[in-house]
Amino acid sequence: MTWALWRPRVIVLVSVLAAATQFGLPLLRPAAAFTFLLVCPGAALLGFVRLGSAVTDLVVSVALSVALTVLVAGVTVLLGSWPLEAGFWFLLVITLLCTAVQMVGRNYKTGGAS
Amino acid sequence: MIGRTHAATRTSRRHARLGALPWVVLPLVAVLWGVSLPGIDPERLGELGLVTLLPITFYAALALLAASFSVAICSPRPHTWLLLGHLVLFIALFHATPALSYGALRYSWAWKHVGIVDYILRHGVVDRTIANLNVYHNWPGFFAASALLSRTAGFESALDFASWGPVFFNLLNLGALLVLFRALVKDEGLVWLALWLVFITSWVGQDYFSPQALAYFLYLSVLAVVALWFADRRGVALTQSTAVPRRPERPTRGVVMTALFTLLALFAAISSSHQLTPVVTVLSLGALTLFSRNRALGLCVLMAVLAVSWLVYGATPFFRVEVGDLVKSFGNVANNVDGTLIDVSNLSREQRGVAVAARALTLGVWALAFLGVLKHLHKRLTVAKRPDWGLICLAGAPFLLLAGNAYGGEVLFRIYLFTLPFMALWAAYLLRALTRGRRFWLRVTATFTLSTVLLAGFTVAYFGKEQQFYFSPSEVEAAQVMYSAAPQGSLIVEGAPNYPSRYRNYEFYTHVAISREPLASRQRVLNNPVENMKRWMSNDAYADAYLILTRSQEAASEPLGALPPGSMDAMRRALLKAPEFRAIYESDAAVVFTLRDRSRRGTP
């Protein structure tokens, strides 16, 4: 199985773990939260295209994730209409939606074979 | 002929065996570093900071690492993972050592940044019109993201992770620089040598928990994305290639759209986090566009519009107040330079040495890069080929900042930081060009010698001021006691602003630093501390008043000439004897005073 097929599964796993640790598992919470916010949103959005090497993919994913975290958190604190943690749930939904679309699309193309 | 072939084979085998040496040396370096850590007692920091405190095993690890890198980079087929290992270990040596040894967040500015995150965690919003530290509220991106990280990770404060900022940001920068350099040049050896030179000369210390550290990583990422997907194929690459090598020949429409989205997101994050970085980003992209390394002229214009829009609309309250000063300092290059360079004659002998080392390192890197550019121009022009003007201009573009603003006396440091990747690339080019075709040991010796000289300067420039940057547990405790005792609306008088300050409920207090008072006022306080402090602290405009004096305040103000040597100690002794004052916290490193009887009112 190639990294392209593993990638959405890893993103879903980290996302679900980050969500679960908001309600329990306090020991895992910092690691899950940091990994999710610093890698997953960007990796999910960039999953739609093939960027090149794994290093490029990882670096651009982290940069985009950091930027999205800054922007979503920035809008939250400038408007003040939602609690801070709403930003996390918003990013989580976006990440899972993008990943789901990619998984469904790939499944559709390959006829379900992986 | 056959004999010569055998000799060449033997030499090649010997070099291959030597090339394997770093695999053995790297674990040894890690062990030596691990052995060094327990021997570092920050309570014994002297006027040369960590330079005189680090054990011999640390320096042995450093020398071995430099030697090992020199062998690895000069071997016939340098191994990527091995070179990466050297750089990661270097980052650990220099940036994880303080985090592991100090036990408290270093740099007083980092504590203030924690205070802004604390504000957001308590209020959920920023206040762009706030009187104190309003610049951070007008560029809140980094603080908002840190608050979101703290909340999501279940931390009560950013203090739980801020100490690791330098390690975190340097690792991020390593990734971004690797992608950027690989997009700009073809020679993998040049890429890794340039990376090494960047990290062993990056003495400015803008990698701590701060908006500029985040914005710098995003700036490098923007350049990397542009160089990867928007570089013009007509542009020349540094090492003979006529095309930018690691990029797919024709990016698909999907990749271009994704790259555009990524660039705009990165730039919006930069614009909302930091004041200076958007300007440098636009200048650098302008340089790339001007010299055909960038097809996206429209992108450059769009970014400039975004940057100005944030300044005018996003940071309106700050812009309204500061616009006059911005206009006044524009074009005043001499004043902007003078604002950065401190008068070394006011410094202690040790701190003068640190300042000289930093300046020598800066000028040395720039000189090497300049020679690299000359070598490149000579090589290209003698064969009637077009020089790589894009890369030359990338190294020079940040100098245009000199025309803008002194940036709180830091503009030269920031210029050094922004030029460093490209200066390092040109310096590495020079070294490679001068040693190309030479014997293996000559190349290793040249690389090791240059690394050793630069590392000596870097160690002094980077670790030489740690006496100011380190805060002992008792200094942290003193600040905690003071902020716990002080009611809202209190006056906090401080010897100097260099201590763990403003990290909690900062908007409730008014902070006044004696070292930043006008000279006449400062002199009055030092001549008669008891009477003057009594007058200040009994001012009924404040709910209560506290005076905090710490070792780190002394370290930051006396060797740098802001206060006369011994003055803070004299003040401390005088106040301890005065019956009007009560010490609510006292240790060797810190003392917090309050007035016994505040009913005896004074005037401000």
Side-chain angles (χ1 to χ4, degrees), chain B residues 130-183:
Chain B
I130 199 166
N132 199 355
L133 300 177
N134 75 330
V135 64
Y136 297 141
H137 290 257
N138 281 272
W139 276 270
F142 165 78
F143 303 105
S146 301
L148 178 57
L149 268 174
S150 303
R151 182 62 55 83
T152 312
F155 294 138
E156 279 184 15
S157 154
L159 275 176
D160 288 312
F161 57 89
S163 292
W164 290 95
V167 177
F168 175 73
F169 285 118
N170 276 292
L171 288 174
L172 287 186
N173 292 345
L174 174 59
L177 283 167
L178 177 60
V179 174
L180 173 63
F181 286 171
R182 279 180 167 176

Side-chain angles (χ1 to χ4, degrees), chain B residues 25 42 51 105 140 171 228 291 294 318 368 464 485 496 509 578 587 595:
Chain B
V25 175
V51 178
L105 180 62
L171 288 174
L228 274 168
F291 294 98
N294 173 10
F318 182 86
L368 285 171
Y509 308 114
S587 73
L595 279 177

Side-chain angles (χ1 to χ4, degrees), chain B residues 253-276:
Chain B
R253 191 181 169 78
V255 170
V256 171
M257 294 309 289
T258 308
L260 263 177
F261 170 78
T262 305
L263 280 175
L264 290 178
L266 295 180
F267 193 77
I270 293 173
S271 297
S272 65
S273 296
H274 196 232
Q275 308 86 55
L276 195 65

Side-chain angles (χ1 to χ4, degrees), chain B residues 424-441:
Chain B
L425 200 52
W426 283 113
Y429 172 82
L430 177 72
L431 185 65
R432 300 276 290 179
L434 291 178
T435 57
R436 184 166 293 126
R438 308 276 177 173
R439 291 167 63 181
F440 175 74
W441 278 113

Side-chain angles (χ1 to χ4, degrees), chain B residues 359-393:
Chain B
R359 288 176 191 186
L361 184 61
T362 304
L363 293 176
V365 171
W366 285 350
L368 285 171
F370 181 67
L371 292 174
V373 170
L374 286 184
K375 179 90 185 156
H376 172 72
L377 289 177
H378 176 255
K379 195 174 164 187
R380 284 297 166 101
L381 295 176
T382 48
V383 291
K385 275 189 177 174
R386 188 171 166 235
D388 197 337
W389 293 113
L391 212 47
I392 294 169
C393 286

Side-chain angles (χ1 to χ4, degrees), chain A residues 34-92:
Chain A
F34 273 65
T35 312
F36 171 75
L37 287 174
L38 299 178
V39 182
C40 291
L45 281 166
L46 295 175
F48 288 108
V49 291
R50 197 176 288 273
L51 290 184
S53 75
V55 176
T56 305
D57 198 10
L58 180 66
V59 170
V60 181
S61 292
V62 171
L64 184 56
S65 298
V66 169
L68 291 172
T69 302
V70 167
L71 293 175
V72 170
V75 168
T76 312
V77 302
L78 280 172
L79 297 180
S81 310
W82 310 287
L84 203 52
E85 43 272 49
F88 164 74
W89 294 108
F90 175 76
L91 286 169
L92 189 87

